[in-house]
């Protein structure tokens, strides 16, 4: 039998404030409930041991770069996309 991976989505704005969070977000964040992330700054929600790496991911995403990579957090394997997401107005 095959299982589909769980999907987690976190979107932050140009001020690094989380505007959308949903789904499975284990291992990377101090809070396990997506609702607890909304309205907080991305870097204050990420566990300390991952913050240095995520400083770079966040900075490059805000500069318009895209990154796809695999990572492991707390026993979870994740396929990750970090990059710009635009609304219908292109913002």
């Amino acid at each position: 039998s095959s299982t589909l991976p769980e999907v987690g989505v976190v979107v932050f704005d140009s001020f690094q404030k989380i505007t959308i969070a949903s789904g499975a977000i284990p291992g990377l964040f101090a809070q396990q409930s997506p609702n607890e992330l909304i309205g907080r700054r991305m870097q204050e929600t990420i566990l300390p041991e991952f913050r240095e790496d995520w400083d770079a991911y966040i900075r490059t995403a805000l500069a318009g770069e895209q990154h796809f990579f695999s990572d492991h957090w707390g026993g979870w394997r994740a396929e990750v996309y970090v990059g710009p997401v635009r609304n219908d107005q292109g913002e």
Side-chain angles (χ1 to χ4, degrees):
S1 72
S2 64
T3 57
L4 287 173
E6 292 188 64
V7 175
V9 175
V10 175
V11 177
F12 56 88
D13 64 16
S14 58
F15 301 105
Q16 296 187 31
K17 193 169 168 185
I18 295 172
T19 57
I20 298 169
S22 66
I25 50 167
L28 179 63
F29 297 97
Q31 294 78 19
Q32 292 305 299
S33 165
N35 290 340
E36 294 179 73
L37 298 176
I38 295 172
R40 300 186 64 186
R41 290 190 79 245
M42 187 73 179
Q43 276 298 66
E44 71 183 30
T45 63
I46 293 173
L47 290 168
E49 60 262 39
F50 304 119
R51 284 186 187 156
E52 190 175 337
D53 289 341
W54 278 84
D55 274 337
Y57 301 148
I58 291 167
R59 190 170 55 252
T60 58
L62 290 171
E65 293 181 31
Q66 300 181 59
H67 299 276
F68 296 90
F69 57 93
S70 295
D71 211 339
H72 291 84
W73 309 306
W76 290 76
R77 180 172 170 271
E79 296 294 324
V80 182
Y81 166 76
V82 180
V85 179
R86 306 207 186 284
N87 61 18
D88 292 341
Q89 290 74 44
E91 298 170 339

